[in-house]
Amino acid sequence: MDVKTLCLGALSLGDATGYDIKKLFDEAFSHFFAAGYGSIYPALEKLTAEGKVSYDRQQQEKRPDKKVFSLTPAGREELIHDLEATPPREKVRSEFLVLMFFAHLLPPQRLAEVLQEFLDENNKNLKMLEDLEKGDCPPGIKFTIRYGLATTRAAVECIEQSRDALLREVYSTQFAQ
Amino acid sequence: MDVKTLCLGALSLGDATGYDIKKLFDEAFSHFFAAGYGSIYPALEKLTAEGKVSYDRQQQEKRPDKKVFSLTPAGREELIHDLEATPPREKVRSEFLVLMFFAHLLPPQRLAEVLQEFLDENNKNLKMLEDLEKGDCPPGIKFTIRYGLATTRAAVECIEQSRDALLREVYSTQFAQ
DNA sequence: ACAATATATATCTAATTGATATATATCATA
DNA sequence: TATGATATATATCAATTAGATATATATTGT
């Protein structure tokens, strides 16, 4: 699965500009699939060349001109085919856990800062997801929100429970390197 | 933070070949930072050119020859500097949650399969992490294991609680597209 | 005897990231 | 009123990465 498939999925929700699709990646998709302009615009170009999407160029008076993309029937078929063919994997790249893994190489104050920054960021994510949960939306989308809430709450609880012991034990001579 | 930093980190644990480092990525680092040969060997080459690591070529009788890499003092400084400078972010790419988000476009049997496959994979990860937790290791590493256990258990519980309702509600006419 | 797996070195292509560029606005602040 | 920040839009680019593939030496399991 790649950014092209997610762009097709975005357009299955309604016509959109590249800029709109980026906003979907930054909001609705943000807790499970990130993408930037560097992959969105090339994906839209390729999908257009392949006949999976089409666009209508619209002039605006007080804003730059825009391209409004639409899914074609071929694009909808491609989306469904890609979704059916995708194995349900999850890939994580956590700089936070890398820092914990090598915690003994960080000064104590920085380690404490890192834990606090990560907690703060997760608490922000929780608020964002809690707000999303209040809204009315399809069951599959609701599921992704609840999943995000469950795993983020578990992360926060784990950190809150462990951080004091971690800060004490990391520098004990038994393990210091 | 990139694969070079993780290679430096791997070598801070002890001298290793490229093949050994790949095994670390597949095992100890696997739940928070994946990397393949396509980035490991080029990273080692660059670090060697920069004087951050050095290697000893060893002939073997019944195996191909190997390069055993070591961290240099400059490499150790670079590692510590990189760790201190890294903000504690987490990036997730979850094809599973993409499939849930667009669940209404999947046939019911495939949706049920996807949920089961993902559950099975997570239960495997739990066993692997539970085995790791039994071992003796530094507090920072122990923390990464417990964090992985907490978030994976939360994911499994969320899916077990929600899957039946999800399978029922996804195709109800209120939301069907 | 053969297939699978382990131990080793890599390379390569396509995709992605994150920064950057350009251009038109509105909004907030001093 | 001027300036900086932000929003709305289109993109591109260099460095990095993923995942497949290649080559070569073994051992292990069926």
Tab-separated table of all heavy atoms in Angstrom, chain A residues 93, chain B residues 2-8 10-11 16-26 29 33-48 53 69, chain C residues 9-12, chain D residues 16-20:
chain	number	residue	atom	x	y	z
A	93	ARG	N	8.151	3.696	13.662
A	93	ARG	CA	9.501	4.228	13.845
A	93	ARG	C	9.419	5.194	15.010
A	93	ARG	O	8.835	6.276	14.906
A	93	ARG	CB	10.006	4.914	12.595
A	93	ARG	CG	11.379	5.535	12.809
A	93	ARG	CD	12.070	5.826	11.513
A	93	ARG	NE	12.491	4.620	10.834
A	93	ARG	CZ	13.392	4.577	9.852
A	93	ARG	NH1	13.952	5.696	9.448
A	93	ARG	NH2	13.717	3.450	9.292
B	2	ASP	N	18.579	8.795	12.021
B	2	ASP	CA	18.513	7.910	10.868
B	2	ASP	C	19.262	6.604	11.150
B	2	ASP	O	19.689	6.342	12.279
B	2	ASP	CB	19.057	8.628	9.623
B	2	ASP	CG	20.480	9.109	9.826
B	2	ASP	OD1	21.123	8.698	10.810
B	2	ASP	OD2	20.947	9.892	9.006
B	3	VAL	N	19.379	5.790	10.120
B	3	VAL	CA	19.946	4.455	10.291
B	3	VAL	C	21.406	4.502	10.728
B	3	VAL	O	21.876	3.624	11.450
B	3	VAL	CB	19.776	3.639	8.990
B	3	VAL	CG1	20.550	2.339	9.042
B	3	VAL	CG2	18.295	3.363	8.752
B	4	LYS	N	22.115	5.555	10.336
B	4	LYS	CA	23.508	5.684	10.788
B	4	LYS	C	23.577	5.749	12.303
B	4	LYS	O	24.433	5.110	12.929
B	4	LYS	CB	24.138	6.943	10.190
B	4	LYS	CG	24.535	6.776	8.737
B	4	LYS	CD	24.746	8.102	8.066
B	4	LYS	CE	25.939	8.864	8.602
B	4	LYS	NZ	25.994	10.241	8.068
B	5	THR	N	22.690	6.541	12.900
B	5	THR	CA	22.705	6.664	14.360
B	5	THR	C	22.405	5.320	15.017
B	5	THR	O	23.039	4.954	16.017
B	5	THR	CB	21.671	7.714	14.821
B	5	THR	OG1	21.920	8.934	14.124
B	5	THR	CG2	21.774	7.957	16.309
B	6	LEU	N	21.455	4.598	14.473
B	6	LEU	CA	21.132	3.290	15.044
B	6	LEU	C	22.287	2.311	14.879
B	6	LEU	O	22.506	1.463	15.748
B	6	LEU	CB	19.869	2.717	14.397
B	6	LEU	CG	18.536	2.936	15.114
B	6	LEU	CD1	18.439	2.106	16.398
B	6	LEU	CD2	18.343	4.403	15.456
B	7	CYS	N	23.016	2.421	13.760
B	7	CYS	CA	24.192	1.562	13.588
B	7	CYS	C	25.256	1.886	14.637
B	7	CYS	O	25.879	0.985	15.205
B	7	CYS	CB	24.797	1.709	12.195
B	7	CYS	SG	23.788	0.951	10.937
B	8	LEU	N	25.460	3.177	14.882
B	8	LEU	CA	26.388	3.572	15.946
B	8	LEU	C	25.914	3.003	17.284
B	8	LEU	O	26.708	2.468	18.069
B	8	LEU	CB	26.493	5.106	16.036
B	8	LEU	CG	27.156	5.824	14.855
B	8	LEU	CD1	27.065	7.327	15.038
B	8	LEU	CD2	28.614	5.391	14.691
B	10	ALA	N	24.050	0.373	17.755
B	10	ALA	CA	24.248	-1.074	17.745
B	10	ALA	C	25.704	-1.400	18.109
B	10	ALA	O	25.970	-2.311	18.903
B	10	ALA	CB	23.900	-1.630	16.373
B	11	LEU	N	26.636	-0.657	17.541
B	11	LEU	CA	28.052	-0.922	17.799
B	11	LEU	C	28.474	-0.491	19.202
B	11	LEU	O	29.500	-0.969	19.703
B	11	LEU	CB	28.928	-0.245	16.732
B	11	LEU	CG	28.750	-0.854	15.328
B	11	LEU	CD1	29.490	-0.031	14.280
B	11	LEU	CD2	29.257	-2.294	15.304
B	16	ALA	N	30.361	-5.798	15.784
B	16	ALA	CA	29.381	-6.598	15.050
B	16	ALA	C	29.625	-6.500	13.550
B	16	ALA	O	30.209	-5.541	13.062
B	16	ALA	CB	27.973	-6.100	15.381
B	17	THR	N	29.145	-7.504	12.828
B	17	THR	CA	29.137	-7.442	11.365
B	17	THR	C	27.856	-6.764	10.898
B	17	THR	O	26.925	-6.552	11.695
B	17	THR	CB	29.140	-8.867	10.762
B	17	THR	OG1	27.927	-9.514	11.177
B	17	THR	CG2	30.332	-9.670	11.256
B	18	GLY	N	27.815	-6.453	9.608
B	18	GLY	CA	26.587	-5.910	9.040
B	18	GLY	C	25.430	-6.881	9.229
B	18	GLY	O	24.299	-6.486	9.535
B	19	TYR	N	25.749	-8.121	9.062
B	19	TYR	CA	24.736	-9.177	9.215
B	19	TYR	C	24.236	-9.213	10.671
B	19	TYR	O	23.041	-9.358	10.916
B	19	TYR	CB	25.363	-10.505	8.807
B	19	TYR	CG	24.440	-11.682	8.859
B	19	TYR	CD1	23.564	-11.925	7.814
B	19	TYR	CD2	24.431	-12.543	9.948
B	19	TYR	CE1	22.714	-13.007	7.855
B	19	TYR	CE2	23.583	-13.615	9.995
B	19	TYR	CZ	22.718	-13.847	8.956
B	19	TYR	OH	21.871	-14.910	9.005
B	20	ASP	N	25.138	-9.091	11.670
B	20	ASP	CA	24.742	-9.015	13.087
B	20	ASP	C	23.837	-7.816	13.341
B	20	ASP	O	22.862	-7.914	14.091
B	20	ASP	CB	25.971	-8.827	14.000
B	20	ASP	CG	26.862	-10.056	14.058
B	20	ASP	OD1	26.326	-11.189	13.913
B	20	ASP	OD2	28.078	-9.889	14.250
B	21	ILE	N	24.199	-6.674	12.743
B	21	ILE	CA	23.426	-5.456	12.965
B	21	ILE	C	22.014	-5.616	12.401
B	21	ILE	O	21.035	-5.198	13.024
B	21	ILE	CB	24.162	-4.234	12.359
B	21	ILE	CG1	25.455	-3.984	13.158
B	21	ILE	CG2	23.267	-2.993	12.380
B	21	ILE	CD1	26.349	-2.908	12.562
B	22	LYS	N	21.933	-6.276	11.251
B	22	LYS	CA	20.609	-6.568	10.698
B	22	LYS	C	19.798	-7.416	11.671
B	22	LYS	O	18.602	-7.194	11.861
B	22	LYS	CB	20.775	-7.250	9.347
B	22	LYS	CG	19.498	-7.840	8.760
B	22	LYS	CD	18.527	-6.773	8.260
B	22	LYS	CE	17.526	-7.406	7.272
B	22	LYS	NZ	16.128	-7.444	7.834
B	23	LYS	N	20.433	-8.369	12.298
B	23	LYS	CA	19.720	-9.200	13.273
B	23	LYS	C	19.236	-8.373	14.458
B	23	LYS	O	18.143	-8.598	14.961
B	23	LYS	CB	20.608	-10.343	13.762
B	23	LYS	CG	20.633	-11.491	12.750
B	23	LYS	CD	21.116	-12.774	13.371
B	23	LYS	CE	22.599	-12.699	13.682
B	23	LYS	NZ	23.083	-14.005	14.217
B	24	LEU	N	20.014	-7.402	14.910
B	24	LEU	CA	19.557	-6.494	15.965
B	24	LEU	C	18.318	-5.731	15.523
B	24	LEU	O	17.361	-5.589	16.286
B	24	LEU	CB	20.657	-5.492	16.325
B	24	LEU	CG	21.584	-5.872	17.456
B	24	LEU	CD1	22.681	-4.825	17.611
B	24	LEU	CD2	20.813	-6.023	18.771
B	25	PHE	N	18.333	-5.233	14.299
B	25	PHE	CA	17.160	-4.526	13.781
B	25	PHE	C	15.960	-5.470	13.739
B	25	PHE	O	14.834	-5.061	13.985
B	25	PHE	CB	17.430	-3.950	12.383
B	25	PHE	CG	18.108	-2.599	12.406
B	25	PHE	CD1	19.458	-2.483	12.112
B	25	PHE	CD2	17.398	-1.440	12.723
B	25	PHE	CE1	20.089	-1.246	12.123
B	25	PHE	CE2	18.019	-0.191	12.738
B	25	PHE	CZ	19.366	-0.098	12.441
B	26	ASP	N	16.176	-6.742	13.435
B	26	ASP	CA	15.070	-7.694	13.339
B	26	ASP	C	14.592	-8.192	14.685
B	26	ASP	O	13.496	-8.761	14.789
B	26	ASP	CB	15.488	-8.917	12.503
B	26	ASP	CG	15.644	-8.566	11.023
B	26	ASP	OD1	15.213	-7.471	10.629
B	26	ASP	OD2	16.194	-9.389	10.285
B	29	PHE	N	15.571	-4.254	18.150
B	29	PHE	CA	15.020	-2.957	17.720
B	29	PHE	C	13.694	-3.118	16.989
B	29	PHE	O	13.082	-2.124	16.613
B	29	PHE	CB	15.968	-2.248	16.737
B	29	PHE	CG	17.356	-1.950	17.238
B	29	PHE	CD1	18.372	-1.647	16.334
B	29	PHE	CD2	17.669	-1.948	18.584
B	29	PHE	CE1	19.667	-1.352	16.751
B	29	PHE	CE2	18.963	-1.664	19.020
B	29	PHE	CZ	19.962	-1.372	18.098
B	33	PHE	N	12.054	0.304	15.447
B	33	PHE	CA	12.867	0.893	14.389
B	33	PHE	C	13.299	-0.201	13.441
B	33	PHE	O	14.182	-0.975	13.771
B	33	PHE	CB	14.087	1.615	14.988
B	33	PHE	CG	14.650	2.704	14.098
B	33	PHE	CD1	14.476	4.050	14.425
B	33	PHE	CD2	15.335	2.404	12.936
B	33	PHE	CE1	14.977	5.062	13.611
B	33	PHE	CE2	15.839	3.417	12.115
B	33	PHE	CZ	15.661	4.739	12.459
B	34	ALA	N	12.721	-0.248	12.263
B	34	ALA	CA	13.084	-1.270	11.275
B	34	ALA	C	14.095	-0.706	10.278
B	34	ALA	O	14.044	0.477	9.933
B	34	ALA	CB	11.845	-1.744	10.538
B	35	ALA	N	15.000	-1.546	9.832
B	35	ALA	CA	15.897	-1.155	8.738
B	35	ALA	C	16.387	-2.412	8.041
B	35	ALA	O	16.554	-3.460	8.672
B	35	ALA	CB	17.091	-0.349	9.256
B	36	GLY	N	16.647	-2.294	6.752
B	36	GLY	CA	17.099	-3.443	5.976
B	36	GLY	C	18.527	-3.277	5.509
B	36	GLY	O	19.179	-2.247	5.761
B	37	TYR	N	19.010	-4.304	4.771
B	37	TYR	CA	20.370	-4.227	4.231
B	37	TYR	C	20.541	-2.996	3.347
B	37	TYR	O	21.632	-2.431	3.286
B	37	TYR	CB	20.680	-5.489	3.404
B	37	TYR	CG	20.720	-6.753	4.222
B	37	TYR	CD1	19.835	-7.798	3.961
B	37	TYR	CD2	21.643	-6.898	5.247
B	37	TYR	CE1	19.875	-8.962	4.708
B	37	TYR	CE2	21.690	-8.062	6.001
B	37	TYR	CZ	20.806	-9.087	5.736
B	37	TYR	OH	20.831	-10.228	6.475
B	38	GLY	N	19.485	-2.602	2.660
B	38	GLY	CA	19.552	-1.467	1.732
B	38	GLY	C	19.955	-0.163	2.378
B	38	GLY	O	20.440	0.744	1.720
B	39	SER	N	19.756	-0.080	3.701
B	39	SER	CA	20.224	1.132	4.377
B	39	SER	C	21.370	0.853	5.352
B	39	SER	O	22.189	1.740	5.618
B	39	SER	CB	19.072	1.841	5.105
B	39	SER	OG	18.112	0.934	5.565
B	40	ILE	N	21.449	-0.411	5.844
B	40	ILE	CA	22.518	-0.707	6.806
B	40	ILE	C	23.916	-0.657	6.163
B	40	ILE	O	24.818	0.026	6.669
B	40	ILE	CB	22.267	-2.083	7.467
B	40	ILE	CG1	21.000	-2.008	8.345
B	40	ILE	CG2	23.475	-2.513	8.294
B	40	ILE	CD1	20.513	-3.362	8.846
B	41	TYR	N	24.118	-1.384	5.049
B	41	TYR	CA	25.458	-1.397	4.430
B	41	TYR	C	25.889	-0.024	3.951
B	41	TYR	O	27.042	0.383	4.214
B	41	TYR	CB	25.540	-2.461	3.325
B	41	TYR	CG	25.681	-3.859	3.898
B	41	TYR	CD1	24.612	-4.746	3.942
B	41	TYR	CD2	26.883	-4.262	4.469
B	41	TYR	CE1	24.736	-6.001	4.504
B	41	TYR	CE2	27.023	-5.511	5.044
B	41	TYR	CZ	25.946	-6.382	5.066
B	41	TYR	OH	26.061	-7.613	5.635
B	42	PRO	N	25.043	0.745	3.269
B	42	PRO	CA	25.472	2.107	2.932
B	42	PRO	C	25.788	2.967	4.162
B	42	PRO	O	26.714	3.786	4.127
B	42	PRO	CB	24.284	2.673	2.148
B	42	PRO	CG	23.605	1.472	1.588
B	42	PRO	CD	23.774	0.402	2.626
B	43	ALA	N	25.022	2.773	5.254
B	43	ALA	CA	25.308	3.558	6.468
B	43	ALA	C	26.678	3.199	7.024
B	43	ALA	O	27.463	4.083	7.413
B	43	ALA	CB	24.221	3.321	7.523
B	44	LEU	N	26.984	1.905	7.080
B	44	LEU	CA	28.297	1.480	7.584
B	44	LEU	C	29.422	2.019	6.713
B	44	LEU	O	30.475	2.428	7.223
B	44	LEU	CB	28.361	-0.053	7.647
B	44	LEU	CG	27.497	-0.675	8.751
B	44	LEU	CD1	27.442	-2.185	8.622
B	44	LEU	CD2	27.999	-0.272	10.137
B	45	GLU	N	29.195	2.041	5.394
B	45	GLU	CA	30.225	2.561	4.492
B	45	GLU	C	30.486	4.033	4.760
B	45	GLU	O	31.637	4.483	4.836
B	45	GLU	CB	29.773	2.329	3.052
B	45	GLU	CG	30.778	2.794	2.036
B	45	GLU	CD	30.695	1.994	0.749
B	45	GLU	OE1	29.945	0.996	0.709
B	45	GLU	OE2	31.401	2.360	-0.181
B	46	LYS	N	29.378	4.797	4.922
B	46	LYS	CA	29.535	6.223	5.176
B	46	LYS	C	30.212	6.487	6.520
B	46	LYS	O	31.089	7.334	6.643
B	46	LYS	CB	28.147	6.878	5.198
B	46	LYS	CG	27.916	7.839	4.063
B	46	LYS	CD	26.601	8.526	4.203
B	46	LYS	CE	26.484	9.587	3.097
B	46	LYS	NZ	25.292	10.382	3.246
B	47	LEU	N	29.800	5.733	7.539
B	47	LEU	CA	30.385	5.928	8.865
B	47	LEU	C	31.874	5.591	8.845
B	47	LEU	O	32.676	6.243	9.530
B	47	LEU	CB	29.657	5.059	9.901
B	47	LEU	CG	28.227	5.487	10.224
B	47	LEU	CD1	27.480	4.398	10.992
B	47	LEU	CD2	28.209	6.798	11.016
B	48	THR	N	32.241	4.594	8.059
B	48	THR	CA	33.662	4.257	7.933
B	48	THR	C	34.420	5.395	7.268
B	48	THR	O	35.495	5.801	7.710
B	48	THR	CB	33.824	2.958	7.115
B	48	THR	OG1	33.062	1.926	7.728
B	48	THR	CG2	35.286	2.546	7.031
B	53	VAL	N	33.384	4.716	12.508
B	53	VAL	CA	33.576	3.280	12.786
B	53	VAL	C	34.788	2.801	11.984
B	53	VAL	O	35.223	3.459	11.027
B	53	VAL	CB	32.340	2.401	12.447
B	53	VAL	CG1	31.072	2.934	13.113
B	53	VAL	CG2	32.136	2.239	10.959
B	69	PHE	N	32.821	-4.682	12.515
B	69	PHE	CA	32.877	-3.236	12.721
B	69	PHE	C	33.013	-2.894	14.203
B	69	PHE	O	32.479	-3.584	15.067
B	69	PHE	CB	31.606	-2.568	12.169
B	69	PHE	CG	31.537	-2.584	10.667
B	69	PHE	CD1	30.965	-3.668	9.996
B	69	PHE	CD2	32.056	-1.542	9.916
B	69	PHE	CE1	30.910	-3.696	8.607
B	69	PHE	CE2	32.008	-1.559	8.522
B	69	PHE	CZ	31.435	-2.641	7.870
C	9	DT	P	29.196	-9.055	6.700
C	9	DT	OP1	30.296	-8.367	7.384
C	9	DT	OP2	27.791	-8.797	7.076
C	9	DT	O5'	29.327	-8.823	5.129
C	9	DT	C5'	30.576	-9.070	4.492
C	9	DT	C4'	30.384	-9.032	2.986
C	9	DT	O4'	29.351	-10.003	2.618
C	9	DT	C3'	29.859	-7.721	2.431
C	9	DT	O3'	30.963	-6.880	2.178
C	9	DT	C2'	29.195	-8.143	1.124
C	9	DT	C1'	28.734	-9.565	1.421
C	9	DT	N1	27.262	-9.689	1.591
C	9	DT	C2	26.495	-9.859	0.468
C	9	DT	O2	26.953	-9.904	-0.658
C	9	DT	N3	25.150	-9.977	0.700
C	9	DT	C4	24.515	-9.940	1.919
C	9	DT	O4	23.295	-10.062	2.024
C	9	DT	C5	25.396	-9.730	3.072
C	9	DT	C7	24.807	-9.672	4.462
C	9	DT	C6	26.702	-9.617	2.850
C	10	DA	P	30.756	-5.305	2.055
C	10	DA	OP1	31.559	-4.875	0.891
C	10	DA	OP2	30.953	-4.667	3.345
C	10	DA	O5'	29.216	-5.169	1.688
C	10	DA	C5'	28.785	-4.218	0.727
C	10	DA	C4'	28.260	-4.940	-0.505
C	10	DA	O4'	27.421	-6.046	-0.115
C	10	DA	C3'	27.356	-4.046	-1.350
C	10	DA	O3'	28.176	-3.375	-2.289
C	10	DA	C2'	26.390	-5.018	-2.004
C	10	DA	C1'	26.426	-6.242	-1.099
C	10	DA	N9	25.156	-6.497	-0.391
C	10	DA	C8	24.948	-6.488	0.951
C	10	DA	N7	23.717	-6.795	1.300
C	10	DA	C5	23.069	-7.014	0.099
C	10	DA	C6	21.750	-7.377	-0.230
C	10	DA	N6	20.794	-7.577	0.688
C	10	DA	N1	21.439	-7.519	-1.538
C	10	DA	C2	22.391	-7.318	-2.460
C	10	DA	N3	23.676	-6.974	-2.269
C	10	DA	C4	23.945	-6.836	-0.959
C	11	DT	P	27.752	-1.966	-2.831
C	11	DT	OP1	28.887	-1.399	-3.563
C	11	DT	OP2	27.109	-1.217	-1.750
C	11	DT	O5'	26.626	-2.382	-3.888
C	11	DT	C5'	26.891	-3.382	-4.857
C	11	DT	C4'	25.676	-3.513	-5.757
C	11	DT	O4'	24.594	-4.147	-5.015
C	11	DT	C3'	25.133	-2.183	-6.253
C	11	DT	O3'	24.797	-2.346	-7.625
C	11	DT	C2'	23.914	-1.934	-5.376
C	11	DT	C1'	23.429	-3.346	-5.096
C	11	DT	N1	22.695	-3.509	-3.795
C	11	DT	C2	21.439	-4.055	-3.811
C	11	DT	O2	20.872	-4.390	-4.822
C	11	DT	N3	20.871	-4.183	-2.565
C	11	DT	C4	21.419	-3.858	-1.346
C	11	DT	O4	20.815	-4.038	-0.297
C	11	DT	C5	22.745	-3.289	-1.407
C	11	DT	C7	23.434	-2.873	-0.141
C	11	DT	C6	23.324	-3.150	-2.607
C	12	DC	P	24.561	-1.064	-8.526
C	12	DC	OP1	25.185	-1.357	-9.815
C	12	DC	OP2	24.914	0.164	-7.780
C	12	DC	O5'	22.986	-1.085	-8.705
C	12	DC	C5'	22.333	-2.303	-9.053
C	12	DC	C4'	20.840	-2.092	-8.965
C	12	DC	O4'	20.408	-2.316	-7.602
C	12	DC	C3'	20.407	-0.685	-9.338
C	12	DC	O3'	19.390	-0.771	-10.317
C	12	DC	C2'	19.881	-0.079	-8.037
C	12	DC	C1'	19.487	-1.311	-7.240
C	12	DC	N1	19.585	-1.152	-5.767
C	12	DC	C2	18.542	-1.619	-4.951
C	12	DC	O2	17.556	-2.144	-5.486
C	12	DC	N3	18.652	-1.483	-3.613
C	12	DC	C4	19.730	-0.914	-3.069
C	12	DC	N4	19.775	-0.811	-1.753
C	12	DC	C5	20.796	-0.436	-3.882
C	12	DC	C6	20.680	-0.568	-5.204
D	16	DT	P	21.741	11.301	3.405
D	16	DT	OP1	22.259	11.628	4.734
D	16	DT	OP2	22.615	10.690	2.377
D	16	DT	O5'	20.443	10.381	3.572
D	16	DT	C5'	19.326	10.876	4.296
D	16	DT	C4'	18.213	9.869	4.206
D	16	DT	O4'	17.687	9.847	2.857
D	16	DT	C3'	18.623	8.443	4.529
D	16	DT	O3'	17.862	8.058	5.658
D	16	DT	C2'	18.285	7.648	3.265
D	16	DT	C1'	17.281	8.536	2.568
D	16	DT	N1	17.218	8.421	1.084
D	16	DT	C2	16.023	8.101	0.476
D	16	DT	O2	14.990	7.884	1.108
D	16	DT	N3	16.052	8.028	-0.883
D	16	DT	C4	17.146	8.257	-1.696
D	16	DT	O4	17.047	8.170	-2.903
D	16	DT	C5	18.374	8.598	-1.011
D	16	DT	C7	19.622	8.865	-1.786
D	16	DT	C6	18.350	8.657	0.331
D	17	DT	P	18.053	6.586	6.300
D	17	DT	OP1	17.703	6.715	7.725
D	17	DT	OP2	19.342	6.017	5.875
D	17	DT	O5'	16.893	5.771	5.564
D	17	DT	C5'	15.554	6.232	5.633
D	17	DT	C4'	14.677	5.321	4.817
D	17	DT	O4'	14.935	5.522	3.414
D	17	DT	C3'	14.915	3.838	5.093
D	17	DT	O3'	13.728	3.327	5.651
D	17	DT	C2'	15.250	3.238	3.724
D	17	DT	C1'	14.780	4.290	2.742
D	17	DT	N1	15.560	4.404	1.484
D	17	DT	C2	14.913	4.229	0.283
D	17	DT	O2	13.721	3.973	0.201
D	17	DT	N3	15.709	4.385	-0.824
D	17	DT	C4	17.053	4.676	-0.855
D	17	DT	O4	17.644	4.794	-1.908
D	17	DT	C5	17.670	4.843	0.442
D	17	DT	C7	19.121	5.154	0.538
D	17	DT	C6	16.911	4.697	1.534
D	18	DA	P	13.619	1.794	6.059
D	18	DA	OP1	12.738	1.736	7.223
D	18	DA	OP2	14.971	1.207	6.090
D	18	DA	O5'	12.844	1.175	4.807
D	18	DA	C5'	11.646	1.807	4.376
D	18	DA	C4'	11.037	0.979	3.264
D	18	DA	O4'	11.796	1.137	2.053
D	18	DA	C3'	10.978	-0.508	3.536
D	18	DA	O3'	9.734	-0.963	3.022
D	18	DA	C2'	12.184	-1.071	2.786
D	18	DA	C1'	12.332	-0.103	1.613
D	18	DA	N9	13.697	0.196	1.199
D	18	DA	C8	14.795	0.416	1.988
D	18	DA	N7	15.884	0.713	1.316
D	18	DA	C5	15.468	0.713	-0.012
D	18	DA	C6	16.140	0.963	-1.217
D	18	DA	N6	17.433	1.293	-1.288
D	18	DA	N1	15.437	0.870	-2.359
D	18	DA	C2	14.129	0.553	-2.294
D	18	DA	N3	13.389	0.294	-1.220
D	18	DA	C4	14.124	0.398	-0.100
D	19	DG	P	9.144	-2.327	3.493
D	19	DG	OP1	7.681	-2.190	3.458
D	19	DG	OP2	9.841	-2.759	4.719
D	19	DG	O5'	9.582	-3.323	2.321
D	19	DG	C5'	9.163	-3.027	1.007
D	19	DG	C4'	10.023	-3.791	0.028
D	19	DG	O4'	11.337	-3.193	-0.060
D	19	DG	C3'	10.251	-5.262	0.394
D	19	DG	O3'	9.700	-6.009	-0.655
D	19	DG	C2'	11.760	-5.387	0.503
D	19	DG	C1'	12.255	-4.225	-0.323
D	19	DG	N9	13.577	-3.719	0.012
D	19	DG	C8	14.151	-3.604	1.249
D	19	DG	N7	15.363	-3.108	1.211
D	19	DG	C5	15.605	-2.872	-0.127
D	19	DG	C6	16.745	-2.342	-0.788
D	19	DG	O6	17.794	-1.963	-0.295
D	19	DG	N1	16.562	-2.278	-2.170
D	19	DG	C2	15.436	-2.665	-2.840
D	19	DG	N2	15.427	-2.527	-4.158
D	19	DG	N3	14.347	-3.168	-2.227
D	19	DG	C4	14.510	-3.244	-0.883
D	20	DA	P	9.703	-7.579	-0.688
D	20	DA	OP1	8.274	-7.972	-0.828
D	20	DA	OP2	10.540	-8.117	0.416
D	20	DA	O5'	10.442	-7.878	-2.063
D	20	DA	C5'	10.241	-7.002	-3.163
D	20	DA	C4'	11.437	-7.083	-4.096
D	20	DA	O4'	12.559	-6.354	-3.530
D	20	DA	C3'	11.931	-8.504	-4.334
D	20	DA	O3'	11.954	-8.755	-5.729
D	20	DA	C2'	13.333	-8.547	-3.712
D	20	DA	C1'	13.751	-7.086	-3.748
D	20	DA	N9	14.692	-6.754	-2.694
D	20	DA	C8	14.524	-6.945	-1.344
D	20	DA	N7	15.553	-6.552	-0.630
D	20	DA	C5	16.449	-6.060	-1.558
D	20	DA	C6	17.732	-5.498	-1.435
D	20	DA	N6	18.350	-5.331	-0.260
D	20	DA	N1	18.363	-5.122	-2.564
D	20	DA	C2	17.743	-5.292	-3.743
D	20	DA	N3	16.529	-5.799	-3.981
D	20	DA	C4	15.927	-6.177	-2.833
